[in-house]
């Protein structure tokens, strides 16, 4: 196992717990599956007694310039009561999309080794100023809290 793989795998798990800790701080009833066989990082029990499944995806501060909020090669087909929480560490921004919204907004690869997988790029960049910013197209998914899961 390479150092890079260990770092990347560790970062992903740390970010899952970071996002879950924010959910807990906001009073959500969060359960963490022991096994990640179904792309479920957390299950949230809403106040009405229903449950939602959540997949957490994060990008580190160390990704290439312009890729701060690029989430690529995601295998996904529509699932009811399923949400994605995308977090960019460098931008310190969170986007939350339902399964249906993700499918509508993401690009699906048609060919190559990632054929059928989906990608979404939440940020834009200004190469001259060397800055990255959330893309306004996705502002409706930007969230400062997890109120939608109450």
């Amino acid at each position: 196992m390479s150092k890079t793989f260990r770092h990347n795998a560790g970062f992903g798990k740390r970010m899952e717990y970071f996002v879950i800790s924010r959910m807990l701080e906001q009073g959500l009833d969060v359960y963490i599956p022991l096994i990640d066989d179904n792309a479920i990082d957390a299950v949230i029990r809403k106040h009405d007694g229903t449950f939602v499944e959540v997949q957490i995806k994060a990008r580190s501060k160390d990704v290439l310039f312009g890729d701060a909020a690029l989430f690529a090669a995601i295998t996904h087909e529509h699932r009811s009561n399923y949400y994605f929480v995308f977090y960019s560490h460098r931008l310190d921004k969170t986007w939350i999309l339902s399964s249906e919204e993700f499918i509508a907004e993401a690009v699906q690869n048609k060919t190559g080794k990632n054929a059928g997988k989906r990608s979404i790029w939440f940020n834009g960049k200004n190469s001259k100023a060397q800055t990255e910013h959330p893309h306004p197209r996705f502002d409706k998914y930007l969230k400062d809290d997890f109120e939608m899961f109450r």
Side-chain angles (χ1 to χ4, degrees), residues 81-112:
N81 298 320
Y82 189 89
Y83 289 83
F84 287 92
V85 173
F86 295 99
Y87 176 71
S88 169
H89 196 208
R90 186 156 63 213
L91 298 177
D92 192 26
K93 298 289 183 191
T94 303
W95 296 265
I96 302 176
L97 286 78
S98 68
S99 172
E100 186 174 352
E101 291 166 333
F102 174 70
I103 289 169
E105 298 284 2
V107 173
Q108 189 170 27
N109 298 343
K110 305 290 185 223
T111 60

Side-chain angles (χ1 to χ4, degrees), residues 1 6 9-12 20 27 31-32 41 43 49 53 60 63-64 77-78 98 110 117 120 124 130 139-140 146:
M1 203 178 324
R6 286 185 55 82
F11 171 81
I20 290 168
Y31 302 86
I32 303 170
D41 296 317
V43 176
E53 299 168 337
S60 91
V63 297
L64 293 174
E77 296 303 325
H78 181 264
S98 68
K110 305 290 185 223
K117 295 184 179 182
I120 193 163
Q130 287 291 294
D139 282 355
K140 62 185 170 186
F146 299 99

Side-chain angles (χ1 to χ4, degrees), residues 26-93:
Q26 293 175 27
L28 294 181
D29 194 4
V30 182
Y31 302 86
I32 303 170
L34 291 176
I35 299 172
D36 188 6
D37 282 349
N38 295 306
I40 301 168
D41 296 317
V43 176
I44 300 170
R45 183 178 183 275
K46 297 172 73 171
H47 289 317
D48 66 4
T50 61
F51 291 87
V52 295
E53 299 168 337
V54 177
Q55 173 73 48
I56 300 166
K57 297 285 187 186
R59 293 291 281 176
S60 91
K61 290 180 181 179
D62 302 327
V63 297
L64 293 174
F65 171 73
D67 290 351
L70 168 62
F71 299 90
I74 299 171
T75 301
H76 182 70
E77 296 303 325
H78 181 264
R79 293 163 72 170
S80 298
N81 298 320
Y82 189 89
Y83 289 83
F84 287 92
V85 173
F86 295 99
Y87 176 71
S88 169
H89 196 208
R90 186 156 63 213
L91 298 177
D92 192 26
K93 298 289 183 191

Side-chain angles (χ1 to χ4, degrees), residues 19 22-23 26 28 85 94 96 143-150:
V19 170
R22 289 175 47 209
M23 292 174 175
Q26 293 175 27
L28 294 181
V85 173
T94 303
I96 302 176
K143 304 294 181 190
D144 292 325
D145 59 39
F146 299 99
E147 187 65 30
M148 66 189 304
F149 297 135
R150 289 209 174 278

Side-chain angles (χ1 to χ4, degrees), residues 118-130:
R118 302 175 192 275
S119 301
I120 193 163
W121 208 337
F122 291 107
N123 72 285
K125 65 181 179 179
N126 180 325
S127 296
K128 187 174 182 177
Q130 287 291 294

